């Protein structure tokens, strides 16, 4: 069965081109990927991200339980703080990359739509040893992302100046139109912005209010197509592409999100300590192609006659007008400036290793 | 271009025939579906093509699509204005955005292609 967000009808009646994404009927684009991408980089875009899994943890052992099943240190997290982290298997492989929110009432996780059911099935037996309940709020709440240089101004029109006080990666419960909204200064585009969690019944009204507030600056409803090109320019990993159960966070270049000093013995910690003490055989790198063809997922990266890596995501960057990709390559070839080739459907194209991210906003 | 005078393949190529020379392009429907075109790869003149053989690629931000030969024959010319520049195809798929000209070896292949009305019906069913 395909799941639909509370905004599904709005999307299909407003030019949204609907596709199946991780079991959800989602808009890949409305006006066009490039127009929507540019709107987010220069003005603002509005995304329906209600497909993301929202899980709430209550009970006396909620924090202790979370400290075992994921990498973020709950004992160090203060109310209102948000951290990026991982759920790992015993070998350090990534079950999912997640956001941990310390809301005043209870901690919540936002997980990938594609992994929500897997994680629930994985956590349920582990949770029996703790006094914790896991509540899946995914189907009763909607989640919207307002992203772009004008996003905060737009959000402030709806939520008041309180939203301007939020620091990056913090959140606060606020009210809009007498409805509670969880507001966080987070995103997946490389731009400033907020993400809003609201009761499903109010999703369409909030969506329309954001569009109205952003109309004068040219806000566009934005689909998953530009969400992908935006996150790729910002070198943010996507589960199923850069991340999988066979990849650990250190190889993925995400050591900033791992605190091995965390006291609690989280699952995968021992494996990560071992990996951290060795060398990474195949790190994640950025590639800039000389030509315009796109090196998509699974494209082989070659040097002479040898396959030395594989592309995980590639696109034509609307911001730089250049074909870019992320890949895992053998460490000997990972230095920025290294010249390589990619084999795109039997034809070789030249490429150079470049530092990540491709795009960083001026803050 | 009189769209009713063209023949169409289910894979969204159009054909204009003059004697035994066919001009081949892809339709507005295909261009819209791809949207945000990036790059067009075309065969070299002299290449012999079978019906349904892949003879080029149209790459968009979202996906890459093969172009299939709607008729059998030999490529005589490719559109010199296409390649890194995709604008002629985006803006004028039935005119300046043509892809290749070919000398057709078997004109009876035309009978296997769709007329405009049948093609439009086919698009409707695909869009659904």
């Amino acid at each position: 069965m395909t799941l639909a967000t509370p905004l599904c009808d709005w999307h299909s009646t407003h030019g949204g081109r609907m596709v199946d994404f991780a079991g959800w009927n989602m808009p890949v684009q409305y006006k066009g990927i490039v127009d929507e991408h540019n709107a987010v980089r220069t003005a603002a875009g509005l995304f329906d991200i209600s497909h993301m899994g929202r899980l709430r943890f209550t009970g006396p052992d909620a924090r202790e339980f979370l400290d075992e099943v994921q990498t973020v240190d709950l004992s160090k997290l203060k109310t209102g703080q948000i951290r990026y982290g991982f759920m790992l298997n015993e070998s350090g492989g990534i079950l999912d990359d997640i956001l941990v929110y310390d809301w005043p009432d209870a901690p919540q996780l936002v997980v990938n739509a594609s992994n929500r059911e897997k994680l629930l099935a994985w956590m349920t037996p582990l949770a029996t040893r703790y006094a914790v309940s896991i509540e899946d709020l995914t189907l009763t709440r909607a989640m919207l992302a307002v992203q772009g240089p004008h996003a905060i101004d737009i959000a402030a029109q709806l939520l008041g100046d309180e939203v301007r006080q939020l620091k990056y990666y913090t959140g606060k419960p606020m009210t809009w139109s007498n409805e509670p909204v969880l507001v966080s200064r987070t995103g997946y585009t490389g731009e400033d912005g907020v993400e809003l969690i609201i009761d499903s019944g109010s999703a369409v009204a909030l969506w329309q209010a954001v569009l109205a507030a952003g109309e004068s600056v040219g806000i566009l409803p934005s689909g998953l197509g530009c969400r992908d090109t935006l996150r790729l320019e910002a070198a943010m990993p996507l589960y199923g592409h850069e991340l999988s159960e066979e990849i650990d966070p250190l190889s993925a270049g995400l050591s900033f999100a791992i605190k091995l000093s965390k006291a609690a013995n989280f699952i995968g910690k021992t494996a990560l300590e071992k990996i951290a003490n060795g060398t990474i055989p195949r790190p994640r790198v950025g590639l800039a192609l000389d030509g315009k063809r796109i090196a998509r997922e699974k494209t082989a990266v070659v040097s002479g006659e040898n396959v030395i890596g594989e592309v995980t995501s590639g696109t034509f960057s609307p911001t730089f007008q250049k074909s870019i990709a992320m890949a895992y390559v053998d460490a000997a070839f990972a230095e920025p400036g290294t010249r390589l080739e990619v084999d795109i459907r039997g034809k070789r194209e030249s490429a150079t290793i470049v530092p990540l991210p491709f795009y960083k906003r001026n803050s | 271009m009189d769209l009713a005078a063209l023949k169409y393949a289910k894979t969204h190529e159009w054909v204009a025939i003059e004697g035994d020379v066919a001009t081949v392009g892809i339709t507005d429907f295909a261009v819209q579906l791809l949207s945000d075109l990036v790059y067009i790869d075309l065969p070299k003149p002299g290449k012999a093509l079978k019906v349904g053989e892949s003879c080029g690629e149209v790459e968009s931000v979202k996906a890459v699509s093969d172009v299939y030969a709607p008729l059998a024959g030999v490529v005589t010319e490719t559109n010199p204005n296409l390649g890194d520049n995709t604008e002629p195809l985006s803006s004028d798929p039935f005119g300046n955005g043509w892809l290749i000209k070919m000398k057709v070896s078997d004109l009876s292949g035309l009978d296997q292609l769709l007329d405009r009305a049948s093609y439009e019906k086919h698009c409707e069913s695909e869009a659904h």
Side-chain angles (χ1 to χ4, degrees):
Chain A
M1 203 194 86
T2 310
L3 296 166
T5 80
L7 287 152
C8 190
D9 285 344
W10 191 95
H11 302 317
S12 4
T13 52
H14 290 79
R17 194 177 288 169
M18 306 303 284
V19 297
D20 179 273
F21 180 82
W24 292 80
N25 192 21
M26 297 297 289
V28 65
Q29 64 174 70
Y30 308 81
K31 210 175 161 195
I33 294 175
V34 172
D35 286 343
E36 292 161 26
H37 180 108
N38 292 335
V40 174
R41 286 274 180 261
T42 60
L46 174 62
F47 298 82
D48 177 11
I49 52 168
S50 306
H51 62 303
M52 303 289 289
R54 288 168 291 286
L55 310 176
R56 183 167 178 260
F57 297 77
T58 51
D61 295 344
R63 300 177 83 86
E64 203 187 328
F65 171 71
L66 280 171
D67 264 335
E68 179 183 345
V69 296
Q70 56 77 47
T71 60
V72 173
D73 191 348
L74 268 286
S75 72
K76 296 265 167 65
L77 211 55
K78 295 191 198 96
T79 303
Q81 282 189 323
I82 302 164
R83 288 287 174 273
Y84 177 71
F86 305 93
M87 289 199 182
L88 303 173
N89 60 27
E90 292 288 354
S91 338
I94 300 169
L95 296 172
D96 199 15
D97 63 331
I98 59 175
L99 283 187
V100 182
Y101 300 66
D102 200 1
W103 296 117
D105 60 335
Q108 279 193 27
L109 303 186
V110 167
V111 305
N112 280 294
S114 53
N115 288 330
R116 178 174 59 102
E117 288 178 359
K118 173 183 85 173
L119 297 178
L120 284 169
W122 179 73
M123 282 189 288
T124 303
L126 296 168
T128 55
R129 293 186 283 112
Y130 293 89
V132 61
S133 324
I134 307 172
E135 199 183 342
D136 186 354
L137 303 176
T138 311
L139 301 179
T140 54
R141 305 280 193 283
M143 192 167 180
L144 276 50
V146 193
Q147 301 280 299
H150 292 300
I152 299 301
D153 288 337
I154 293 166
Q157 288 181 54
L158 274 69
L159 299 159
D161 279 339
E162 200 179 10
V163 78
R164 299 184 193 278
Q165 315 300 323
L166 278 182
K167 295 203 174 78
Y168 199 54
Y169 267 64
T170 66
K172 203 174 172 188
M174 297 186 192
T175 348
W176 170 74
S177 192
N178 297 320
E179 289 277 344
V181 192
L182 293 177
V183 182
S184 61
R185 197 153 186 171
T186 47
Y188 191 53
T189 59
E191 295 302 327
D192 197 0
V194 289
E195 293 175 314
L196 310 170
I197 299 176
I198 194 165
D199 191 80
S200 289
S202 303
V204 173
L206 178 60
W207 176 272
Q208 286 169 330
V210 174
L211 287 182
E215 196 183 354
S216 61
V217 298
I219 193 171
L220 287 185
S222 302
L224 293 181
C226 78
R227 192 168 157 81
D228 191 48
T229 53
L230 289 159
R231 69 94 197 166
L232 217 164
E233 286 184 349
M236 291 167 162
L238 173 60
Y239 198 88
H241 291 254
E242 285 72 37
L243 310 181
S244 74
E245 292 183 23
E246 280 71 50
I247 301 270
D248 67 86
L250 304 177
S251 298
L254 300 167
S255 54
F256 74 89
I258 298 285
K259 298 276 178 293
L260 289 171
S261 57
K262 173 174 167 175
N265 195 17
F266 62 86
I267 295 171
K269 188 181 179 189
T270 314
L272 282 193
E273 281 166 345
K274 231 177 246 166
I275 296 165
N277 287 330
T279 51
I280 304 291
R282 245 187 193 200
R284 176 165 66 110
V285 297
L287 290 174
L289 276 72
D290 291 0
K292 292 183 84 174
R293 297 176 78 214
I294 299 174
R296 296 177 196 273
E297 189 191 4
K298 300 216 190 303
T299 299
V301 183
V302 291
S303 176
E305 289 313 302
N306 303 315
V307 175
I308 54 96
E310 191 175 276
V311 170
T312 48
S313 301
T315 193
F316 188 77
S317 157
T319 304
F320 302 110
Q321 290 293 301
K322 211 173 170 46
S323 176
I324 58 169
M326 291 195 277
Y328 285 98
V329 301
D330 291 347
F333 299 89
E335 203 53 42
T338 307
R339 293 284 288 164
L340 297 158
E341 286 180 309
V342 284
D343 185 334
I344 305 178
R345 294 178 297 279
K347 270 190 221 163
R348 298 264 183 119
E349 301 283 344
S350 300
T352 309
I353 303 277
V354 295
L356 293 175
F358 303 99
Y359 173 84
K360 202 169 194 300
R361 73 174 177 274
N362 302 315
S363 48
Chain B
M1 182 67 67
D2 177 9
L3 301 187
L6 304 177
K7 291 285 200 175
Y8 300 86
K10 283 189 172 172
T11 45
H12 305 292
E13 293 80 13
W14 58 262
V15 179
I17 197 91
E18 243 186 286
D20 63 352
V21 174
T23 305
V24 177
I26 62 171
T27 65
D28 54 348
F29 179 85
V31 168
Q32 258 178 36
L33 213 61
L34 285 163
S35 69
D36 299 318
L37 302 183
V38 171
Y39 179 83
I40 299 162
D41 188 39
L42 296 171
K44 293 217 159 53
K47 175 146 176 81
L49 298 171
K50 292 186 211 120
V51 180
E53 185 177 345
S54 168
C55 63
E57 286 177 353
V58 178
E59 182 133 38
S60 74
V61 171
K62 196 166 33 187
V64 60
S65 287
D66 282 306
V67 180
Y68 299 100
L71 296 164
V74 176
V75 178
T76 55
E77 208 181 320
T78 61
N79 189 337
N81 301 317
L82 294 180
D84 275 0
N85 182 18
T86 58
E87 205 280 326
L89 177 57
S90 310
S91 61
D92 190 11
F94 294 106
N96 289 331
W98 64 275
L99 300 182
I100 60 172
K101 290 185 195 292
M102 58 193 293
K103 193 172 157 58
V104 180
S105 56
D106 179 10
L107 284 167
S108 73
L110 281 169
D111 301 337
Q112 306 302 314
L113 297 173
L114 306 174
D115 62 18
R116 183 70 196 175
S118 315
Y119 175 67
E120 280 174 3
K121 252 184 223 153
H122 170 67
C123 291
E124 266 172 45
S125 69
E126 276 209 347
H128 208 56

